[in-house]
């Protein structure tokens, strides 16, 4: 939507995701695709994706050669940035069903699955260990990694997120984690609260309710308690100045989702 609706310069250009998803004709007419009504969410999504991409590229320049995406979904970094991805090893961790579907679509579209892209199916409902599956796919625990988890923590209990943070804090020294989290409602700008409530209702109706919200202080405390050497809060709205400052169309990220960046 950002590429199709918003004027350039685009914060992130990703048309491969649309090819993968292959929505039915008329998808642009859906209420949740309304160009005006979704502008803040759209800006927030491309802002976090751009932030993550810059972080990964920076880590690759530093010599980090492992990139892990927890809950990868239709992430397209490997297809859009092969000049970076082919120099490292990209591990996409996701549920077996959606990942098998994505594998099929990548092959159908001619992207294939190069050796440096490892699709790691993990059945979380069967309590499979993502760290064990990751190791089986070739992840080297002795080497630093950059690990990303976006749009996941709201679906997990706080205990589950704390357990994941403890596992990640045990990564090799020099590793970096970037994780998004939803803010408690009272921390949102007034104008953004109805949108969050609508998203929450939609998620509940789809059988995947939002169950965890945080203050930045709570998320930083979880990271420190888990054993991370350093932990930083990045406000989602702060990305407006970084990526949207010179825009004349008023496009700005909505409030509601922030980032934790932690290092071992």
């Amino acid at each position: 939507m950002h590429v199709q609706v918003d004027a350039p310069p685009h914060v992130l250009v990703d048309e491969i995701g649309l090819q993968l998803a292959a929505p039915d004709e008329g998808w642009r007419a859906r209420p949740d695709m309304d160009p005006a009504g979704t502008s803040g969410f759209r800006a927030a999504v491309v802002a976090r994706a751009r932030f993550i991409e810059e972080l990964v590229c920076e880590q690759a320049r530093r010599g980090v050669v492992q990139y892990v995406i927890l809950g990868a979904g239709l992430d397209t970094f490997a297809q859009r940035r092969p000049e970076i991805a082919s120099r490292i090893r990209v591990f996409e961790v996701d549920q077996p069903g959606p990942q098998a579907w994505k594998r099929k679509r990548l092959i159908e579209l001619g992207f294939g699955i190069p050796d440096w892209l490892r699709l790691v199916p993990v059945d979380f409902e069967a309590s499979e260990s993502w760290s064990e599956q990751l190791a089986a796919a070739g992840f080297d625990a002795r080497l630093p990694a950059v690990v990303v988890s976006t749009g996941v923590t709201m679906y997990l209990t706080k205990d589950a997120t704390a357990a994941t943070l403890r596992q990640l804090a045990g990564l090799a020294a020099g590793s970096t984690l970037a994780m998004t989290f939803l803010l408690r409602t009272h921390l949102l700008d007034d104008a953004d609260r109805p949108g969050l409530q609508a998203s929450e209702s939609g998620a509940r109706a789809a059988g995947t309710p939002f169950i965890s919200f945080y203050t930045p202080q709570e998320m930083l405390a979880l990271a420190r308690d888990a054993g991370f050497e350093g932990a930083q809060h990045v406000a989602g709205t702060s990305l407006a100045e970084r990526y949207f400052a010179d825009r004349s169309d008023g496009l700005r990220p909505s409030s509601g989702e922030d980032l934790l960046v932690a290092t071992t």
Side-chain angles (χ1 to χ4, degrees):
M1 283 293 287
H2 178 52
V3 173
Q4 294 192 8
V5 171
D6 301 319
H10 295 118
V11 175
L12 187 86
V13 176
D14 180 6
E15 295 176 287
I16 294 175
L18 184 61
Q19 295 176 50
L20 281 173
D24 295 335
E25 286 187 27
W27 66 272
R28 286 273 303 270
R30 285 169 29 179
D32 61 350
M33 293 290 114
D34 176 70
T38 63
S39 64
F41 293 119
R42 183 166 70 248
V45 168
V46 295
R48 85 177 185 196
R50 171 74 175 270
F51 177 85
I52 294 295
E53 193 150 309
E54 289 182 352
L55 174 68
V56 173
C57 292
E58 174 196 340
Q59 293 297 308
R61 285 192 295 271
R62 284 184 53 237
V64 173
V65 295
Q66 300 185 112
Y67 174 29
V68 180
I69 312 171
L70 298 178
L74 295 186
D75 190 279
T76 59
F77 175 79
Q79 291 75 45
R80 289 182 298 101
R81 302 297 303 273
E83 76 284 3
I84 302 290
S86 62
R87 303 205 317 264
I88 61 179
R89 187 164 285 179
V90 181
F91 298 87
E92 296 193 5
V93 180
D94 212 336
Q95 295 271 24
Q99 194 171 80
W101 179 86
K102 182 180 183 180
R103 176 187 290 274
K104 177 173 174 287
R105 290 293 296 147
L106 286 172
I107 292 170
E108 288 173 348
L109 291 169
F111 292 107
I113 315 293
D115 183 62
W116 43 263
L117 174 60
R118 304 294 172 90
L119 301 184
V120 186
V122 178
D123 189 345
F124 298 101
E125 293 175 358
S127 299
E128 284 188 355
S129 168
W130 60 265
S131 56
E132 290 178 7
Q133 299 295 95
L134 199 57
F139 182 81
D140 190 339
R142 299 168 298 179
L143 299 176
V146 55
V147 182
V148 166
S149 172
T150 58
V152 174
T153 58
M154 71 279 274
Y155 302 113
L156 305 177
T157 65
K158 293 186 177 181
D159 285 345
T161 294
T164 299
L165 287 170
R166 286 193 295 272
Q167 283 183 288
L168 293 171
L171 291 172
S175 296
T176 302
L177 165 71
M179 175 181 279
T180 63
F181 59 95
L182 287 187
L183 293 172
R184 293 186 181 275
T185 307
H186 72 275
L187 296 174
L188 271 66
D189 295 342
D190 290 344
D192 295 330
R193 288 177 190 165
L196 175 65
Q197 290 166 352
S199 297
E200 199 174 353
S201 297
R204 192 182 308 111
T208 53
F210 298 166
I211 58 177
S212 294
F213 300 82
Y214 300 86
T215 67
Q217 294 75 20
E218 287 172 332
M219 185 55 78
L220 287 171
L222 277 181
R224 293 184 184 118
D225 290 346
F228 277 97
E229 189 74 18
Q232 175 190 1
H233 164 236
V234 179
T237 50
S238 73
L239 302 182
E241 289 308 309
R242 188 180 303 203
Y243 304 126
F244 297 84
D246 298 325
R247 298 191 69 91
S248 59
D249 57 5
L251 186 67
R252 292 290 185 279
S254 58
S255 60
E257 185 178 62
D258 285 5
L259 291 116
L260 164 74
V261 178
T263 53
T264 59

